[in-house]
Amino acid sequence: MDDYDLLVVGSANADLVIGVERRPGAGETVLGSDLAVHPGGKGANQAVAAARLGARTALLARVGDDAHGRLLLDAQCAAGVDTAGVLAGGAPTGVALITVDPSGDNSIVVSPGANGRLTPADVRSAASLLHASRVVSAQLEIPLETVVEVVRSLAPDSRFVLNPSPPRPLPEEVLAACDPLIVNEHEAKVILGEGRVTDVPEDWARLLLEKGPRSVVVTLGAEGALVASAQGVTRVPAVKVAAVDTTGAGDAFTAALAWRLGAGSSLAEAAAYASRVGAAAVTKEGAQDSFPTAAEVEGL
């Protein structure tokens, strides 16, 4: 069971990006930069990020039979991702509408399109991919029932990594499989409930562990990350860089962490490496275009 270091099951979107001086308020129009179209989607991003680092990577996703779908497939192939699990048709390719302000922060609206048609039956049909993968990673830009089927279809020795984005309440069956569950502050608040979130991130990690995951990682942006398991909670420092565009940085972090865990690193070691990968990603514009190679990460 070692054909792939990482199988990513998730979304593939065309990212339509516009730079703005500030985001518009209700009923307001603002002018932005020229439109840029990039391959994106949390699943596709994670697959490219892992492959760029040297991981043997496969993607299970669905795109439309259209120009955006071909753009996404070409990007996966160029990065070295195995696309045998990428299905085409059923709906237009998913699209993400992204605005980026001068500080590098982004706001995103996603039209799922074909991502919403990735079904549990598609997962069952891809059983050979799941059983050939050391680590399986998923997100929530595909139907939740499809993620549940991924958990049920895992090989006995596979490790499951979940970034619950966009966040929603998760069934116990999914939470119990996560090793780790990777969340940012917003995702932690949704899963825990606003009333249970204090100002102390270590508390979030402990409360999330109580919900059943085998381990938890809380990303804190410029403040680094926390890793939590039965052995305790550890803070992982951030790498200081000048941020240009944060789009896709969380996906790069998740992919790097999942790959390093499959290679035998401890959770803290994998998170420290992933922090460097995420830091490298924010120094360039775009999502997949910003993902570093292993050599670039070592140069930080």
Side-chain angles (χ1 to χ4, degrees):
M1 194 201 73
D2 61 356
D3 289 352
Y4 302 103
D5 298 313
L6 178 63
L7 169 65
V8 181
V9 184
S11 58
N13 293 323
D15 287 349
L16 309 184
V17 184
I18 299 177
V20 293
E21 286 300 316
R22 60 179 179 81
R23 295 175 182 83
E28 182 185 15
T29 299
V30 300
L31 294 178
S33 67
D34 291 343
L35 174 69
V37 181
H38 303 287
K42 290 186 176 298
N45 285 350
Q46 287 183 17
V48 168
R52 288 258 179 90
L53 294 169
R56 296 168 297 171
T57 308
L59 175 65
L60 173 57
R62 184 175 286 276
V63 299
D65 184 12
D66 51 32
H68 284 155
R70 290 186 286 276
L71 169 73
L72 294 171
L73 278 171
D74 288 348
Q76 295 292 311
C77 292
V81 176
D82 188 328
T83 59
V86 180
L87 309 169
T93 299
V95 172
L97 307 177
I98 304 173
T99 58
V100 182
D101 71 17
S103 73
D105 285 334
N106 61 65
S107 296
I108 305 175
V109 178
V110 174
S111 170
N115 296 306
R117 276 72 166 184
L118 187 67
T119 66
D122 294 331
V123 173
R124 291 190 290 270
S125 296
S128 60
L129 276 179
L130 278 92
H131 285 212
S133 302
R134 188 171 298 165
V135 180
V136 178
S137 175
Q139 326 79 38
L140 297 183
E141 288 184 338
I142 57 175
L144 183 56
E145 60 264 28
T146 303
V147 176
V148 171
E149 189 61 35
V150 170
V151 168
R152 293 174 179 172
S153 302
L154 291 170
D157 295 332
S158 292
R159 188 164 187 164
F160 180 65
V161 175
L162 177 67
N163 173 220
S165 180
R168 70 188 79 171
L170 296 170
E172 292 182 4
E173 181 179 7
V174 171
L175 284 167
C178 295
D179 194 14
L181 176 74
I182 303 176
V183 297
N184 60 21
E185 179 179 356
H186 171 64
E187 292 151 4
K189 288 179 177 179
V190 171
I191 293 172
L192 290 173
E194 290 279 354
R196 299 195 69 195
V197 178
T198 68
D199 293 330
V200 183
E202 283 82 357
D203 291 343
W204 314 343
R206 294 187 185 97
L207 289 169
L208 286 166
L209 270 181
E210 292 175 4
K211 285 187 166 289
R214 301 176 194 181
S215 59
V216 170
V217 174
V218 180
T219 59
L220 302 170
E223 300 304 314
L226 291 174
V227 300
S229 67
Q231 285 69 52
V233 180
T234 303
R235 188 174 282 262
V236 177
V239 178
K240 302 301 182 183
V241 294
V244 174
D245 182 359
T246 60
T247 306
D251 301 327
F253 178 98
T254 297
L257 185 141
W259 173 49
R260 296 312 304 162
L261 287 175
S265 296
S266 70
L267 186 59
E269 291 168 342
Y273 182 79
S275 290
R276 293 165 63 191
V277 173
V282 304
T283 63
K284 300 178 183 178
E285 292 185 352
Q288 293 178 20
D289 289 343
S290 73
F291 295 156
T293 64
E296 289 170 333
V297 176
E298 291 303 319
L300 276 181

